[in-house]
Amino acid sequence: MNILIIGSGGREHAFAWKIAQSSIQKNIFVAPGNPGTAQFGTNIDIDVCDFESHKTFCLANKIDLVLVGPEDPLVNGIYDFFAQNELKHIHVIGPSKHAAMLEGSKAFAKQFMKKMNIPTAQYQEFTATKFDEGIDYIKQHTLPIVLKADGLAAGKGVVIAETHEDAIQTFTEMLLHKKFGNAGTTVVIESFLSGIECSVFVLTDGKNYHILPSAKDYKRIGEGDKGLNTGGMGAISPVPFVDELFMQKVVHNIIEPTIKGLQQEAMEYKGFIFIGLIKVQDEPFVIEYNCRMGDPETEVVLPRIENDLLPLLLSLKNQTLHEHSCNHVNQSAATVMLVSRGYPEQYEKGFVISNVASISNSLIFHAGTKLSNDQLLTNGGRVIAVTSLGESIQDAIATSLDNATNISFEGKYFRRDIGWEFL
Ligand code: AMP
Ligand code: GLY
């Protein structure tokens, strides 16, 4: 069996690591991959959104399964692209273009949740033609006000305005000044929900589903959850407050209606659903859907899945996921992300990374690295994800912090307070 993983970060390294453990005979290719993924397969220099090159590669190399890591190719329709003609036999893990709109359009996701009665913040959506109505809506809205550019904006499209003036300014910048380009052609204005966030992950064939381990990521650059948003500075799994009772509510109020909604709306989905939740007085509300796994959430979720992942992925095509079990290990996992000084703004690349090979009690997932003359160099803002398993969250975090300290490169920075609420 030949498998192509699309993407180049810690998430894709974690997928390659997990799939490499499968008892099924396989060859793994990763496009474009990184030095971490190269330990488990062959890296192919193809951009994640270059569908034509993927097609040529997949046909030439008899690829059977394509696992898509990031959202861009999914939202751009890679699933539908592979569903055509001579690619039909290749099985893509992900949603159809229609279903990927759950992540690609915040207005679409809100409409879906409203229709399916899934708990989420109250909202209205506006385009430039309804600019004045939007301003009136903002003026009578309670504070703070959440404004969201409808389309993909690399995690930057959400603004929480503390005053009506700020909200009006943001609304104007998004809709009229095109601050987020076409992503801001529609703006969702929604109520602020106050609570603690977590994420649940679902693997579905569109009919059946398995719930994967829960996780919480730490998005802000600074300790104490301060400063700019990043792709994610660390993650833990499981999330201590996601207990059985809360999970029952998540299943009943959110997961079941989501899967039912996919069927009702004929949204083909054979992949991962990442549901960003907020717990408000013991009740779960959906903050967002993502149509893929999270990064760095994948780096704590996959190490906690006991089963061989490949048979589960293969079962999606024929909608036989229910024939496979998906058990979680009891151990806890924690990831600490090592980043380059300056990230998420300007940062330098090309610094030598040392002491990675000597680490034996953590999993090292490469996020932004490259090899040059056999030397490992930094090659991104997020550089390395250090994941550890432990008997408790505390143990797992302590090991990851220890190794985060041991690995060195110029300008290294990491948060020492991952999991702080639970320590
Ligand atoms: P999103 O891109 O939709 O995940 O939003 C990014 C972040 O903004 C979320 O992780 C939350 O921390 C915050 N956020 C989004 N919507 C809301 C809301 N309605 N109430 C409170 N916080 C929100
Ligand atoms: N860590 C957040 C994300 O992957 O969207």
Side-chain angles (χ1 to χ4, degrees):
M1 149 135 345
N2 295 320
I3 300 168
L4 174 66
I5 300 174
I6 295 182
S8 65
R11 167 180 50 208
E12 289 74 25
H13 184 174
F15 270 122
W17 166 83
K18 181 69 181 164
I19 290 171
Q21 295 166 48
S22 174
S23 59
I24 299 171
Q25 190 75 28
K26 76 254 145 220
N27 298 306
I28 299 175
F29 300 89
V30 190
N34 65 36
T37 63
Q39 298 163 29
F40 303 103
T42 310
N43 288 344
I44 309 297
D45 191 16
I46 301 176
D47 183 83
V48 297
C49 282
D50 183 353
F51 296 176
E52 285 298 334
S53 298
H54 283 305
K55 172 180 174 178
T56 308
F57 177 80
C58 287
L59 291 175
N61 292 278
K62 299 193 164 45
I63 297 293
D64 303 287
L65 181 94
V66 178
L67 192 159
V68 188
E71 62 275 20
D72 275 331
L74 292 166
V75 171
N76 288 330
I78 194 166
Y79 182 96
D80 303 47
F81 181 86
F82 272 84
Q84 306 173 78
N85 308 327
E86 72 265 56
L87 295 173
K88 240 192 258 166
H89 63 285
I90 302 173
H91 170 31
V92 176
I93 305 299
S96 60
K97 188 173 184 177
H98 181 199
M101 283 175 73
L102 286 175
E103 175 163 6
S105 164
K106 294 201 188 284
F108 179 90
K110 295 298 276 192
Q111 289 156 18
F112 176 85
M113 287 186 268
K114 195 169 167 185
K115 194 161 182 182
M116 301 306 149
N117 227 348
I118 294 169
T120 186
Q122 290 286 342
Y123 84 106
Q124 290 278 334
E125 57 178 90
F126 297 93
T127 53
T129 54
K130 287 194 177 170
F131 181 76
D132 294 337
E133 279 172 55
I135 299 290
D136 291 341
Y137 185 73
I138 289 172
K139 283 182 179 160
Q140 56 78 49
H141 203 289
T142 50
L143 295 171
I145 305 171
V146 183
L147 296 106
K148 300 184 172 182
D150 179 54
L152 291 184
K156 297 192 176 76
V158 176
V159 174
I160 298 172
E162 300 291 342
T163 66
H164 291 104
E165 292 71 33
D166 285 353
I168 288 170
Q169 188 183 341
T170 299
F171 185 67
T172 309
E173 282 169 3
M174 284 181 176
L175 265 191
L176 299 188
H177 305 161
K178 298 261 167 213
K179 183 166 180 190
F180 297 105
N182 285 337
T185 304
T186 298
V187 174
V188 167
I189 301 181
E190 68 177 42
S191 305
F192 180 81
L193 297 174
S194 181
I196 184 161
E197 289 177 58
C198 66
S199 300
V200 298
F201 304 89
V202 174
L203 180 64
T204 186
D205 58 16
K207 195 164 85 182
N208 311 288
Y209 67 88
H210 277 305
I211 299 172
L212 309 182
S214 63
K216 183 173 197 316
D217 83 331
Y218 292 81
K219 289 198 176 72
R220 303 297 194 92
I221 187 72
E223 289 175 5
D225 290 334
K226 303 240 160 57
L228 294 175
N229 261 324
T230 69
M233 294 296 293
I236 57 161
S237 176
V239 184
F241 68 80
V242 178
D243 55 17
E244 215 172 301
L245 184 62
F246 183 75
M247 210 52 211
Q248 275 172 14
K249 292 178 185 174
V250 172
V251 170
H252 185 260
N253 302 346
I254 295 168
I255 297 177
E256 295 275 353
T258 298
I259 303 295
K260 201 171 132 228
L262 295 178
Q263 291 175 297
Q264 189 179 311
E265 303 295 301
M267 293 157 69
E268 206 166 312
Y269 208 123
K270 294 185 174 167
F272 297 93
I273 315 177
F274 167 159
I275 311 177
L277 297 174
I278 190 160
K279 181 177 136 186
V280 184
Q281 284 156 0
D282 291 331
E283 296 301 318
F285 287 76
V286 177
I287 290 275
E288 64 168 346
Y289 286 109
N290 292 314
C291 63
R292 47 156 179 106
M293 284 298 289
D295 191 352
E297 290 89 337
T298 305
E299 291 94 304
V300 287
V301 169
L302 294 186
R304 294 196 59 242
I305 297 177
E306 198 171 67
N307 306 71
D308 187 338
L309 186 63
L310 195 47
L312 276 88
L313 298 179
L314 292 170
S315 77
L316 302 184
K317 194 175 177 83
N318 299 325
Q319 296 190 300
T320 52
L321 181 60
H322 57 291
E323 292 172 7
H324 300 264
S325 52
C326 181
N327 302 316
H328 309 176
V329 301
N330 280 328
Q331 280 179 310
S332 298
T335 292
V336 172
M337 188 68 77
L338 308 184
V339 307
S340 300
R341 180 172 49 227
Y343 174 77
E345 297 184 289
Q346 296 292 334
Y347 56 83
E348 287 179 59
K349 299 180 189 176
F351 297 117
V352 175
I353 307 170
S354 339
N355 298 338
V356 169
S358 63
I359 288 167
S360 58
N361 56 346
S362 290
L363 297 161
I364 302 298
F365 296 121
H366 293 228
T369 69
K370 70 170 181 192
L371 274 177
S372 175
N373 300 325
D374 283 339
Q375 241 180 2
L376 192 63
L377 305 179
T378 67
N379 193 39
R382 294 197 292 177
V383 178
I384 279 177
V386 183
T387 297
S388 310
L389 287 163
E391 291 315 310
S392 65
I393 293 276
Q394 285 88 333
D395 289 349
I397 292 169
T399 309
S400 282
L401 286 177
D402 217 28
N403 287 323
T405 308
N406 291 338
I407 296 172
S408 62
F409 57 86
E410 198 179 316
K412 179 186 75 176
Y413 167 76
F414 60 95
R415 276 181 62 171
R416 287 168 197 278
D417 69 340
I418 298 305
W420 61 272
E421 310 97 312
F422 311 113
L423 299 183

